[in-house]
Amino acid sequence: MSDSSNPDEPTVTSSPYAAAERAKKARIAGDGASAVSREGEGGASSKRPSISFTPKAAALVTSFCAAVALGAAGIIAAVVYEKGPCAAQCPDGNCGTVDLDVCNGDALVAPSSIPGIVVMLGLAAVVVGGWPEAARIRNPRLARGVLSLVAAASALAASAGYESLAFVAAGSIFLCFMAEMLRKDGRENLLGSVSATFLGSILIVASGFWPLLLRNYEAGAVVLAGMCLLIGGLGRYASASDASSSPARLIARSFFYSFAGGAIYLYVTGLGFETRSFAWLAAMALAFGATSGLADGAARSRVAPTKAGAAALAVVPHCALGVIVYALSFAVS
């Protein structure tokens, strides 16, 4: 006997609610079948020779390259500052900002922010390419469109000042909601999708503060941050294991490696461990430890992370430290 003839539920089976429930059950059953299929594929692929470029390797390579690029940008900016045509007029660095090739009165030629913009665009490209997968956003194509627009606007705003970046951050909220309104899949997990897309936008905006730091004569702070990110990232992935289950342990581990990297830099360069440099180092290492620890905790919840998603999670500290270091420089200036 069919369900429609069941006297116990004569109206429920014909109602729109029942149809929606049947569709939901069918979708859940389909997801379960696909999960089993993926599991079977994973079991079959596990017998094959493993490739050398795993998601962990992708994260390690991305973190390393981003840190090296950031340190190189700071060094280039310092060289431009020392070799600038007006550098001798204001050796203490407290001068106005003018064009690189022109002196205006007693103004000092500012370090070029172009290397910082290049690094910022590189970080933004990694976030755009992998963040929708890392955050499991339901509408990855629309999310990448929003993140691409935010990246372009941030690159332009970085040449104008932090106020412009604040406007970009505010405008990204509107873009995130507009993208959700364009979805045609029923807008499932609406709040989570908006939040994840906006978080990716904030990471891109935060990376836009690196060019501002180079423009404001903080090349030394950028190089120090690059060294913290370099050694911190190497230690972060070299010691990564499933046994590191505690978030506090993840944060402490990343803090230790980052602090060690910055301490090596201060010692080798002869900058010493005076109060100001030590405070800078401690703040950067703590910020790296917190952001990388949280990102690692999120990465461990992914059953099968992709290379792009792992790379995006790897550069979370590189992006976040842009606004953190800028805030530090603004506080102590």
Side-chain angles (χ1 to χ4, degrees), residues 74-243:
I75 294 174
I76 293 173
V79 171
V80 172
Y81 165 79
E82 294 174 356
K83 303 297 183 181
C86 302
Q89 298 183 17
C90 191
D92 60 353
N94 292 323
C95 295
T97 301
V98 294
D99 186 75
L100 277 174
D101 301 323
V102 180
C103 295
N104 182 10
D106 295 331
L108 170 69
V109 173
S112 175
S113 60
I114 294 178
I117 293 178
V118 172
V119 174
M120 177 245 164
L121 289 176
L123 293 173
V126 175
V127 175
V128 171
W131 184 254
E133 296 180 6
R136 291 181 175 178
I137 299 177
R138 291 294 185 89
N139 53 339
R141 181 177 299 179
L142 290 174
R144 288 192 177 93
V146 171
L147 296 177
S148 298
L149 291 176
V150 172
S154 297
L156 295 175
S159 60
Y162 70 91
E163 299 93 345
S164 300
L165 282 172
F167 288 125
V168 174
S172 64
I173 301 176
F174 174 77
L175 289 176
C176 291
F177 277 101
M178 286 299 298
E180 293 302 314
M181 295 302 103
L182 295 175
R183 289 174 59 182
K184 299 180 180 179
D185 57 356
R187 302 191 186 98
E188 294 184 11
N189 194 23
L190 178 64
L191 182 60
S193 182
V194 171
S195 301
T197 306
F198 180 66
L199 180 56
S201 301
I202 290 300
L203 289 175
I204 293 176
V205 173
S207 68
F209 281 84
W210 291 119
L212 292 180
L213 281 162
L214 297 180
R215 204 181 82 174
N216 293 338
Y217 316 106
E218 293 291 352
V222 174
V223 178
L224 176 59
M227 193 65 182
C228 289
L229 289 166
L230 176 61
I231 304 301
L234 292 176
R236 171 188 177 188
Y237 291 106
S239 62
S241 64
D242 294 336

Side-chain angles (χ1 to χ4, degrees), residues 35-45:
V36 173
S37 176
R38 288 192 297 269
E39 183 179 358
E41 293 175 358
S45 61

